[in-house]
Amino acid sequence: MSKSHLSMLFCMMLFVLGGQAQDLQNEAYQPLFEDTTGLRPSREVAQKASQLRAGFPRQLQNQFKVFSTSSRILKQHIPDARERTIISRSLKDTFPYESPYYLSFFWVRPISYKPIRAYVDVYVKLPHEGPFRCISTLERYAISGGLMEYVKSLVPKDRDFTDFEKVELAVMDSLQKLVRNLNRCCRRTGKNKCDNCLSANQITGAFNEFNNQVSHVSKYPNANGYVKHNARTQRFSGVNYRITEIEPVYTKWEGTDIRLSKLLIEYFTTRAKGVFWETIILPSKICKTLYKDALQEFIEKGGEAILAEAQPVKKPDYTHKLLVTISEEGNLLLKISTEDEMFHPINLKSIKPVLIGQ
């Protein structure tokens, strides 16, 4: 598709936005595109969006909106599937034309799957003023990514689903509680007086938000992961890996308690050659600023920077960032993000702890 053609499509989209904006200038909840079938948002979602916006400082309230659209509605205005895909991926870039701060929903309900499954992309952008100025960059990643994780838990995967507004109401309610908490906690000094630890869901949410194409996820239930506080935190490096432990995490593997980093080293050196693994190991919750800074640096570091620091003898074709954490229940979670199209799914099930150290 030519740049001129794409520009024309965006102009068309903004024209539709602009036409609606004249009628919805003061509405807190705004459909991005008119539903030509005549369906209108319910009064309930409009009221909830107004309540959410009312929690913002008065001078910022008119700069925040809740946007929503779906692939079905987008199709009514842009018939070509490829063009719809291009525009849907860039929707969040158009919101600032209408409002600099926003919560947005984009619903996809493909009919090619049986049962029909609904998917939703959620974006949130909050101000840097008032009660929002005490939120760190990492915490902003966590808020946006955490909402995405939350909305996924609300959409059933095993049946047809069309009750989009019910999910949007729940997400708006969650964000409203967060805004209320920030109003209570952030002082004029800009410091947050409340507990601002990051949970396992927020940690993975922050990773997802910045590295927004997580290539692969592996989850190992009942791994009995735990932190051994009397053990010394270590860093490990090899020909094709670097591992940073935020805290020494252990897990029960094949009936044996083993340091998680040792398990990963065995995997990297025997079954994952040809890829450089930049790995961070985290507990189920982090509170210390030092740990948060290390996580943010890991999240934001690109592949070239990783290789420049690691200085591998042979430059690999691919670099993967691997975030490893445990849930509060002790489940082991591994998430990979890569800048390349290629990714290497992790399967630790074949690794035996007796091999390590031999």
Side-chain angles (χ1 to χ4, degrees):
M1 179 185 298
S2 67
K3 290 184 179 179
S4 60
H5 191 192
L6 186 57
S7 299
M8 182 179 68
L9 287 171
F10 272 104
C11 288
M12 180 177 68
M13 180 168 64
L14 293 175
F15 176 79
V16 176
L17 282 170
Q20 292 185 48
Q22 294 177 1
D23 299 325
L24 300 168
Q25 189 66 37
N26 297 317
E27 292 292 332
Y29 184 91
Q30 182 172 322
L32 271 177
F33 290 86
E34 178 188 5
D35 190 337
T36 58
T37 62
L39 293 176
R40 297 279 298 169
S42 70
R43 180 178 297 179
E44 191 177 7
V45 294
Q47 289 175 341
K48 174 57 72 174
S50 295
Q51 292 171 8
L52 171 59
R53 185 164 69 174
F56 284 60
R58 187 177 299 277
Q59 69 273 21
L60 299 175
Q61 288 180 6
N62 288 334
Q63 299 180 56
F64 178 85
K65 286 188 177 183
V66 180
F67 296 104
S68 182
T69 193
S70 70
S71 56
R72 179 183 64 83
I73 293 175
L74 191 57
K75 183 178 181 180
Q76 297 170 11
H77 297 271
I78 305 171
D80 186 272
R82 184 170 179 271
E83 293 169 352
R84 283 202 309 277
T85 300
I86 293 172
I87 289 179
S88 65
R89 288 175 178 171
S90 303
L91 278 176
K92 65 178 180 178
D93 297 326
T94 70
F95 301 146
Y97 287 102
E98 184 63 23
S99 184
Y101 311 118
Y102 54 84
L103 169 68
S104 70
F105 301 91
F106 179 70
W107 289 92
V108 181
R109 187 169 167 267
I111 60 174
S112 57
Y113 299 104
K114 295 185 182 300
I116 298 172
R117 295 182 179 180
Y119 302 89
V120 60
D121 283 328
V122 179
Y123 303 107
V124 62
K125 186 173 182 181
L126 298 175
H128 291 269
E129 305 172 53
F132 305 98
R133 69 178 181 176
C134 70
I135 311 175
S136 69
T137 301
L138 179 64
E139 287 164 339
R140 289 176 184 273
Y141 297 157
I143 289 169
S144 190
L147 283 179
M148 188 68 199
E149 292 293 305
Y150 177 51
V151 78
K152 287 179 182 177
S153 71
L154 299 174
V155 180
K157 297 180 180 180
D158 57 349
R159 61 182 173 85
D160 190 1
F161 181 78
T162 56
D163 197 358
F164 299 162
E165 287 193 352
K166 180 180 178 180
V167 173
E168 292 185 4
L169 286 168
V171 173
M172 282 191 278
D173 188 61
S174 178
L175 185 56
Q176 184 180 359
K177 291 176 182 176
L178 171 70
V179 171
R180 190 183 303 130
N181 185 58
L182 289 171
N183 275 313
R184 185 174 66 250
C185 296
C186 289
R187 307 305 185 202
R188 290 185 178 180
T189 59
K191 294 182 179 179
N192 193 335
K193 304 299 183 183
C194 296
D195 176 25
N196 60 346
C197 296
L198 294 182
S199 67
N201 283 342
Q202 290 175 315
I203 289 168
T204 56
F207 181 67
N208 290 357
E209 175 63 16
F210 191 83
N211 301 275
N212 57 11
Q213 188 170 3
V214 177
S215 300
H216 185 71
V217 180
S218 292
K219 185 176 181 179
Y220 298 89
N222 305 315
N224 299 315
Y226 64 95
V227 174
K228 189 179 285 188
H229 294 286
N230 60 348
R232 186 169 60 91
T233 299
Q234 298 183 52
R235 291 175 65 96
F236 302 89
S237 61
V239 174
N240 68 324
Y241 66 86
R242 278 199 314 184
I243 300 174
T244 300
E245 291 181 334
I246 295 300
E247 293 210 52
V249 177
Y250 286 70
T251 187
K252 189 173 288 293
W253 202 260
E254 296 288 328
T256 301
D257 281 358
I258 187 169
R259 196 173 185 123
L260 187 52
S261 52
K262 298 293 187 181
L263 189 66
L264 291 171
I265 288 171
E266 178 65 20
Y267 178 78
F268 295 153
T269 55
T270 60
R271 306 186 188 279
K273 298 177 181 179
V275 174
F276 190 87
W277 299 88
E278 180 76 1
T279 303
I280 191 166
I281 297 179
L282 299 153
S284 58
K285 183 170 70 172
I286 58 173
C287 302
K288 295 182 180 179
T289 301
L290 181 66
Y291 294 170
K292 291 181 182 179
D293 290 345
L295 175 59
Q296 182 173 333
E297 181 184 4
F298 171 80
I299 287 174
E300 295 181 341
K301 193 179 297 181
E304 290 300 321
I306 290 170
L307 294 178
E309 286 184 8
Q311 296 181 341
V313 176
K314 180 181 179 182
K315 188 174 180 179
D317 293 329
Y318 304 100
T319 304
H320 292 348
K321 280 197 283 188
L322 175 62
L323 181 144
V324 183
T325 187
I326 54 174
S327 68
E328 293 179 359
E329 302 78 27
N331 297 330
L332 177 61
L333 183 71
L334 298 93
K335 288 199 170 189
I336 304 170
S337 175
T338 176
E339 298 173 354
D340 305 291
E341 294 181 0
M342 180 270 185
F343 67 93
H344 189 299
I346 280 197
N347 182 5
L348 294 177
K349 291 182 179 178
S350 58
I351 300 298
K352 307 295 182 183
V354 295
L355 298 175
I356 296 175
Q358 294 183 358

